[in-house]
Structure formats: structure tokens, C-alpha cells
Amino acid sequence: MAKDSSDLFGALFDPPPPTRTVPVLVPMPAPGPYSYSVPEDMVVETGSVVQVPLGPRQVFGVVWDDAGEKSVDPKKLRPITKSFECPPLKAEMRRFVDWVAAYTLSPPGLVARMALRAPAAFDPEPMIEGLRLTEGRPERLTPARERVMELAAEGHGWTKSGLAHAAGVSTSVIDGLVKQGVFETVFLPAPPVVAEPDPDYVEPRLEGPQKQAASEILEDVRKGGFHVSLIDGVTGSGKTEVYFEAVAETLRQGRQVLILLPEIALTAAFLERFQDRFGAKPAEWHSDLSPRMREKVWRQAVTGEVKVVAGARSALFLPFDNLGLIIVDEEHDPAYKQEDRVFYNARDMAVVRARIAEFPVVLVSATPSVESQVNGSSGRYNTIHLHTRFGDAAMPDLHLVDMRRHPPERGGFLSPVLLRGIGKTIEKGEQALLFLNRRGYAPLTLCRVCGHRFQCPQCSSWLVEHRFRNQLQCHQCGHNEPTPDHCPECGTFDHLVACGPGVERIAEEVEKHFPEARTIVLSSDLMGVKRLRLELEAIVKGEADIVIGTQLVAKGHNFPLMTLVGIVDADLGLANGDPRAAERTFQLLSQVTGRAGRTGLKSHGLLQTYQPQHPVMQAIVSGDASAFYEREIVEREKAVLPPFGRLASIIVSADTRGEAETHARGLRAAAPQVTGIMLLGPAEAPLALIRGRHRFRLLVHGRRNSDMQSFLRTLLANGPKERGSVHVQLDIDPQSFL
């Protein structure tokens, strides 16, 4: 029935529906989301990934949760430019971003940026060209053509290269069939980055202790919900195989798994072990990935196509579709701490992410952190102990070499005791590992005539000699210069002397004593990831007699022929003011000595030390880790240090020393008076100059229940504002005190 004229008049002049506004979090250091209008023809929801104008630029962002913002006139707002065709960030992921931002006192946009690390992946991946069998038949049917047609007979689409490979023919055979109309062109979805892992691919080979541990883990995973398990097992005890059972059960439940590893160098061997158990490799996520592969992994994690991701700490911010388990391998490792832009500890944030989304998390280590040990003893974590190695392998016999009684020869750094041990080891066709956590040839170069020391022009640190590259290099900012042949201060030739050893100098000494031995030096500054993997494979195959390395060799590697580990300077990590120095030294030396004897061969560890009575040295050689942890926990509790207290670091940096110091003193004066929280400093940081910027440090110390974040927010709000070159950097729960 036709409407009357009054209805038409009303319809013409009815006010248009109100324009919708939404908050959008952009990847900028802003305190919160900005408001944008939504065009009428666009559909967005909370969590949608969008493109918006910001000043003269177009940036990506996420439609965020409404935080009760003030009403804004939509006409004054700029509209969203585009809504990407990718799944929205789930509510649990948005809560996680907000939690991390609030805890670390970081702008939420910078935290969200870590979850959106692959902007090119926001749109669906383009279809790829493929082939499908038609009713046509070739003029001449050869055996090769017949194999191709049999494979394609089921009607599925194939890529040309995939079909040729499966049929064992060249692509020219496929091209000939296409020309004759036997195949037609179709478009196929892009293939997954990895095949889907099969939780029942092989039957796990577990012994008594491992079976018991696996049953506990499986029980935790099956009952669902949030809880934390800590697998505390000696090196070589089968911890990886145990948590693989948790991975398998999660896959059977149809959920995704994230496995965090502290170093890229660990991934190659880990990927092979994973493939042996599940028939396919997990997807990788780390800084060495190509941009194209990064896009694929991000997209397929969001859509749920990728079931397992193994990666570095940044993988924690991948917005998975249905994450059901996080494994944190080597949970004690300092590499999980990020100290750039957003300062966070991936181990702790993994626990938070699991708690928010209500699923289990498993922490794994042969030398758990003191924090995890305390959480386990208090019942917050379910601790699963593995006290013996898998199979017939035994822990190495460890001995201290007192360098006061067995000093090295003049100009050397290896004691006669260690040199004899190396000689006997390589005579038996076995391998020796020499560990020194110091890169380069020597940490300091000076002139014997005038005493001039080579220092970085931009940092308060000495230049390290790298003799393999004929360079002096700063390990703080990367500054380097050719190694001179004369002193720049007094001009004297041939009187420059290298002080102290690095791995290159130890290699030189080894070459002198064992000229026929095959030696490999492993250090992060000598090789990229690909070369490192090749070197590690060579060691596993027995193509080296003596391995000399930094902490790269301490983590997770399995060297079947390694039967001697020599620690060149066991005291090195104890010589600083870090409150975690004893713990870190114990962990590192325990991990290094654990590289020996993992396949059942009789093995030894020799630790060169000038402090044989130090509690750390005694704990390592006695194998009594529990006694060390008990002592360390008592000391921490007395000093109200983590986990019994809380710490936060404030670093003030500026182009001039005066600016940095004035601002730091202004912050100190603005500190609120709060019971249970103490502010120490300011004082020059141990590294007072880095990259030309002067640094002052304040340390906030509070009790465990202290509201550290509120204290710091008030301090920053009341203190002087950052002006000129001044920059203030906050680090909640600092791991570095430099």
C-alpha cells in the first residue's frame, strides 16, 4: 500500500542515524586509545584490526575496549580508513595487553604493537595457482604421465611443483599435460607453514621417573584451568620428553601450544626432537625469520592453522586462536628478560597470560630460578622432580682446580690439571669443552710504557680486542676500530699488551698445547645463526676434538662424545654487585658441566677457581643443589629481596651529565612517602655512559605486597617532566643492575 505524503515528508527529513565512535589503540607511546568514527558501510567490533589516520600518516591499530570515555562529537573525529580481514584480537589477548602495560608502566600501544608484529599479514593470504585433472586425455600415455594422472585422479587441486615432486617427474611433464588440456588452472589456498603434528605419531619412550613425571603433567593438562607446573630435573633427565606428553594431550584436545626457548641457537636441535616425536616440526618465531615467513606464521597462528609454535620471548605476544598450553623451557634464563621499550620477563608474563585465559603453563629447568623454587615450596606451583639422568647416563664427576696450588704457566690461563685432562680426553677419541663467558681475545688492551687504556669514546667501557677480526670493539654500543700497532697516547710501537683472556685467546693457548686437535670456537660475534647451526652439527657428529665457547654452549645442547668440561674462570660471574650473582653463577656452571656424559660415557668436569671454599663452588661439586637454594633463599628473605621483596629501577639518561643528574635528583625530591617502600639514589650507573648518553640510576625497594606501580606513577606525576635530551626508563623487576 502506498504511503501518504506526510509519511514521505517525514522520511525525507528524519535525522540520520548517529555516527558510531570507537576507541582505537595505535602502536604509539600514547597513554591510551584514540577515538575514531566508523563509516556507515564498515563493520568493526571490539578487537578488529583497522587502519586509521594519525597526523599525516596511516597506521594500523586495534578497536579497543570502551573504558568509559567522555562523549565526543563524531563530526570532529576522523574516520577509520580500513578494516582488515583478519580475526579480531580476542578479549583474553586484550586483557593481557592491558595487564602487561599496567604492570610494566608502559604505554599500552607499545605493548599492542608486539601483538601486531606482522602488518602485511592482516589481510588474507592470496590464493596460489594450481592444477586440477579434467576429463581430457593425453595423445600419448607415458609411464611418467600415468603416475601424474593417477595421483591427481581424486580431484584435489595440486601445485605444479608439488605434483611433480610427488610423482617423481620433472615439471616439464606437467607442462606437457597442461598444453594438451589434461589439467585446468584452479586457485588454491596457501599451504600451511608446517604440517599438522600428530600427538600419537610415535609411542613415547619413558622410564620410571619420566613416566611418573609425565603422568603428573598429563593429569594437570586434562583437568584444565589455570595452574603452573615446574619440572625440576637434572641435565639429561628427559625433561623435554616429559613435557612433550603435555603437548600431545593439548593437541588431542584441539588446542594450540606455545613453547618458549631462550636462544635461537637451541631451535635447530629442538625442532628435530619435536619432529621425531610428532612427525612434523613446529612453526618457528624469532628474529631470524624472514619477513615473509613471519607473516605466514602470524596469520596461521591467528586462524588456528598452526598448532604449535616454538619461539623466543616475543612469541608470547602472538594472538593465537585457541591457545591451551605454554611451555617455558630453561625458565631461569636471563634471555627471557626484554630490556628495550617495553621491559618485561617472558617467564612471568607467560604465567599471567595463562592465568587470564585459564589454561596450564609448564616451567622447565635443570636449575630453576629462586623465584620458581619459592613458588614451588609454597605450593603455588606443582613441582615435579627428576633427580636422575635418562637411560644409563650418569652425572659428570666434578672437581675444583685451586688455581693458587695449580697455577698456569706464565702467560697462560689453563692449569696443568686441566691440560692433562684435555690430553687424556682427546686421546680416547672423545671431546672436551672449555667454557669462558667472555667474547673476543682480551677484555682490555693497554700500553706498557704510558699505561694508556683503550676505551670506547661513547661508553664507559673498555674496548675488547677481537684478534680474529683485527679489531677493538665496544660490547655496549658496537663501536669498533682497527687494532693499532702503536700507542695513540705516547706513540710507542710494539708495547701494547692484551690483559685477561677471551675465548679467542684460550683457542690460541689450546692450539699451542694441542696443535693436531680439531678446535671449534663458538661465540655469538663470530658467526650468524646458520653457521652456528652447522658448527653445532659438526660437534654432534664428532668432527671436533676441543670446543671453546661462551654461554652459547651452556643451554640445552646434546653432544654425545663430550666427556670433559673445563670451566676456565669459574669465579667470573661472582665479581659484581648483582644480588643474583651467586644464583646466576650456580645456574650457568651447572648447565655447562651438564653438557658432559649425556650418553653414558664416563665424564668429568674441572672448575678453575681462586675461591674453592665459596658456597657456589661447593654446591656445584657436591651436587647438593637443594643446600645452595636453601642458603640463597634464606639470604634473600633476610634482605627482603625478590621473591620476598620487590625492586624497580629508574634510569635517567641525557646528553650531558648535569642534565641527567639534575633530573634524577628532581625525581628523588618528588618521591611520595610510603610505608614499606624505599628509594635509593640517585647515583651514577655502573655503566655511566652508553652511546654518548650519561646515566644516573635510582632503585626502588619495597616489600612483597608493596604497590610499586602506584608509587612510581605518583613519583613521575609529581617529578620534573622530560625535556630536551632527558629520557626516563622504568624497569619493574630488573634483572640487570648496570
Side-chain angles (χ1 to χ4, degrees):
M1 188 171 98
K3 293 184 178 181
D4 61 27
S5 59
S6 62
D7 290 336
L8 292 172
F9 182 83
L12 286 172
F13 290 94
D14 277 346
T19 303
R20 183 183 169 205
T21 66
V22 293
V24 176
L25 192 61
V26 295
M28 304 291 289
Y34 295 124
S35 295
Y36 287 87
S37 63
V38 182
E40 290 184 16
D41 59 346
M42 184 180 292
V43 177
V44 297
E45 60 181 295
T46 307
S48 292
V49 182
V50 295
Q51 180 179 294
V52 295
L54 187 68
R57 299 179 298 143
Q58 293 286 329
V59 300
F60 60 85
V62 184
V63 178
W64 214 245
D65 300 86
D66 189 351
E69 61 180 275
K70 297 177 182 177
S71 59
V72 184
D73 183 357
K75 295 178 182 178
K76 297 181 180 179
L77 297 179
R78 302 174 77 178
I80 295 174
T81 310
K82 177 182 179 179
S83 178
F84 292 98
E85 296 181 42
C86 70
L89 261 64
K90 293 179 175 290
E92 60 198 39
M93 189 66 194
R94 301 194 303 275
R95 284 179 59 202
F96 178 59
V97 168
D98 282 336
W99 198 98
V100 173
Y103 186 81
T104 62
L105 297 178
S106 304
L110 292 186
V111 182
R113 182 181 184 178
M114 296 192 292
L116 303 173
R117 292 292 289 271
F122 295 162
D123 281 323
E125 191 166 5
M127 303 284 275
I128 60 174
E129 191 174 291
L131 301 171
R132 186 169 57 200
L133 193 66
T134 66
E135 297 296 325
R137 289 293 176 267
E139 298 172 359
R140 185 169 60 89
L141 188 63
T142 64
R145 289 177 170 180
E146 187 173 5
R147 289 200 304 275
V148 171
M149 293 172 64
E150 284 178 2
L151 272 174
E154 295 180 2
H156 301 304
W158 288 78
T159 63
K160 182 169 71 172
S161 59
L163 183 56
H165 178 75
V169 301
S170 68
T171 54
S172 61
V173 175
I174 312 294
D175 291 334
L177 292 172
V178 172
K179 285 180 181 178
Q180 296 185 41
V182 178
F183 283 96
E184 63 179 351
T185 299
V186 294
F187 288 92
L188 307 172
V193 290
V194 288
E196 187 165 330
D198 179 2
D200 302 307
Y201 180 71
V202 297
E203 186 73 23
R205 189 172 69 90
L206 301 173
E207 296 179 347
Q210 289 78 28
K211 279 185 179 179
Q212 177 60 34
S215 67
E216 288 190 51
I217 288 287
L218 285 174
E219 184 180 346
D220 288 343
V221 173
R222 284 169 181 157
K223 68 184 179 186
F226 167 72
H227 49 270
V228 184
S229 299
L230 171 64
I231 302 179
D232 177 4
V234 298
T235 54
S237 60
K239 298 183 294 295
T240 303
E241 284 69 22
V242 169
Y243 74 66
F244 274 173
E245 296 315 294
V247 173
E249 182 59 28
T250 306
L251 292 173
R252 294 186 192 104
Q253 295 173 1
R255 306 192 71 180
Q256 293 167 291
V257 178
L258 169 62
I259 303 174
L260 293 178
L261 301 167
E263 297 281 355
I264 299 173
L266 293 178
T267 56
F270 175 83
L271 296 178
E272 291 180 9
R273 292 178 72 176
F274 189 95
Q275 186 172 27
D276 290 343
R277 171 63 179 83
F278 295 99
K281 292 182 178 180
E284 296 180 60
W285 182 269
H286 49 70
S287 58
D288 200 46
L289 277 187
S290 68
R292 180 68 176 143
M293 182 56 69
R294 182 177 290 266
E295 293 164 20
K296 285 176 172 286
V297 173
W298 191 94
R299 185 185 292 114
Q300 294 182 18
V302 172
T303 59
E305 294 172 78
V306 162
K307 299 301 181 185
V308 182
V309 174
R313 60 179 181 246
S314 59
L316 182 63
F317 289 88
L318 281 171
F320 289 90
D321 174 57
N322 187 20
L323 187 59
L325 175 69
I326 298 178
I327 307 286
V328 184
D329 206 347
E330 308 287 358
E331 64 88 28
H332 68 278
D333 200 292
Y336 284 124
K337 177 72 176 188
Q338 173 161 301
E339 296 177 332
D340 179 38
R341 293 198 176 190
V342 179
F343 285 54
Y344 69 91
N345 189 313
R347 176 199 65 211
D348 299 341
M349 297 304 106
V351 174
V352 171
R353 183 164 186 186
R355 185 182 67 192
I356 289 173
E358 289 293 320
F359 60 73
V361 60
V362 179
L363 310 180
V364 186
S365 178
T367 53
S369 62
V370 168
E371 288 85 349
S372 295
Q373 290 279 12
V374 171
N375 283 327
S377 61
S378 66
R380 295 183 67 189
Y381 295 174
N382 173 33
T383 304
I384 300 168
H385 295 283
L386 289 169
H387 297 295
T388 58
R389 283 187 159 181
F390 183 78
D392 298 325
M395 294 296 290
D397 293 330
L398 302 180
H399 303 279
L400 297 177
V401 179
D402 188 339
M403 297 294 278
R404 298 167 302 181
R405 297 176 55 195
H406 305 284
E409 65 181 42
R410 185 177 178 84
F413 300 93
L414 303 179
S415 72
V417 177
L418 182 53
L419 289 172
R420 284 196 298 272
I422 296 171
K424 291 177 181 177
T425 300
I426 59 180
E427 280 177 14
K428 293 186 290 185
E430 297 166 359
Q431 293 172 325
L433 168 65
L434 297 181
F435 170 78
L436 177 63
N437 201 22
R438 188 182 274 153
R439 293 178 287 155
Y441 183 84
L444 171 66
T445 301
L446 56 78
C447 174
R448 277 186 285 196
V449 175
C450 70
H452 173 75
R453 299 184 177 199
F454 287 83
Q455 184 171 343
C456 176
Q458 304 179 81
C459 304
S460 53
S461 60
W462 308 121
L463 293 179
V464 177
E465 181 181 356
H466 288 257
R467 193 161 291 188
F468 289 179
R469 297 201 301 259
N470 195 34
Q471 282 185 348
L472 297 177
Q473 183 178 350
C474 173
H475 287 176
Q476 301 302 322
C477 70
H479 167 84
N480 62 79
E481 54 192 61
T483 304
D485 56 2
H486 66 280
C487 174
E489 189 72 23
C490 67
T492 307
F493 282 81
D494 301 327
H495 277 75
L496 298 181
V497 60
C499 300
V503 286
E504 295 177 17
R505 194 167 192 175
I506 298 304
E508 184 179 88
E509 186 173 351
V510 165
E511 176 70 20
K512 171 187 169 185
H513 289 284
F514 307 101
E516 303 300 321
R518 298 168 297 174
T519 303
I520 286 181
V521 178
L522 295 182
S523 177
S524 58
D525 55 357
L526 293 178
M527 58 192 70
V529 173
K530 289 183 179 178
R531 183 182 163 191
L532 175 60
R533 289 178 176 176
L534 291 174
E535 299 280 35
L536 291 172
E537 288 175 10
I539 297 168
V540 171
K541 294 174 183 176
E543 296 172 2
D545 300 311
I546 303 172
V547 180
I548 303 161
T550 62
Q551 62 180 353
L552 275 179
V553 301
K555 305 168 184 178
H557 304 298
N558 187 14
F559 303 133
L561 295 176
M562 191 74 67
T563 59
L564 174 67
V565 171
I567 310 297
V568 176
D569 187 353
D571 307 324
L572 183 60
L574 298 172
N576 60 57
D578 188 338
R580 293 186 175 88
E583 177 191 1
R584 294 266 174 79
T585 301
F586 174 79
Q587 290 166 338
L588 186 57
L589 298 185
S590 297
Q591 294 280 344
V592 174
T593 53
R595 297 312 104 202
R598 295 169 70 95
T599 54
L601 296 173
K602 181 69 174 174
S603 60
H604 303 273
L606 297 173
L607 290 77
Q608 297 191 155
T609 176
Y610 287 93
Q611 305 177 68
Q613 299 306 314
H614 194 286
V616 170
M617 303 304 157
Q618 291 299 313
I620 290 172
V621 295
S622 68
D624 192 355
S626 59
F628 169 77
Y629 279 113
E630 286 173 13
R631 180 184 178 279
E632 191 70 12
I633 288 169
V634 168
E635 294 297 323
R636 296 273 187 96
E637 192 167 14
K638 284 180 182 177
V640 197
L641 289 172
F644 305 101
R646 300 192 62 196
L647 295 174
S649 169
I650 305 172
I651 295 288
V652 180
S653 63
D655 289 344
T656 66
R657 187 182 186 280
E659 280 184 290
E661 183 175 11
T662 300
H663 194 92
R665 293 191 180 281
L667 288 176
R668 172 61 189 254
Q673 296 298 315
V674 177
T675 302
I677 294 182
M678 178 171 53
L679 182 62
L680 306 173
E684 274 195 316
L687 287 174
L689 184 69
I690 294 183
R691 295 181 177 88
R693 292 183 62 81
H694 297 264
R695 305 165 76 242
F696 274 77
R697 180 186 184 90
L698 299 101
L699 187 66
V700 186
H701 181 203
R703 299 195 173 275
R704 187 171 186 169
N705 59 354
S706 301
D707 190 349
M708 191 73 74
Q709 283 75 8
S710 293
F711 176 87
L712 290 168
R713 287 191 194 98
T714 304
L715 182 149
L716 293 175
N718 295 343
K721 306 307 174 190
E722 296 179 35
R723 290 186 177 88
S725 67
V726 172
H727 177 63
V728 177
Q729 179 179 284
L730 296 180
D731 184 1
I732 308 293
D733 305 328
Q735 298 289 308
S736 170
F737 291 83
L738 298 179

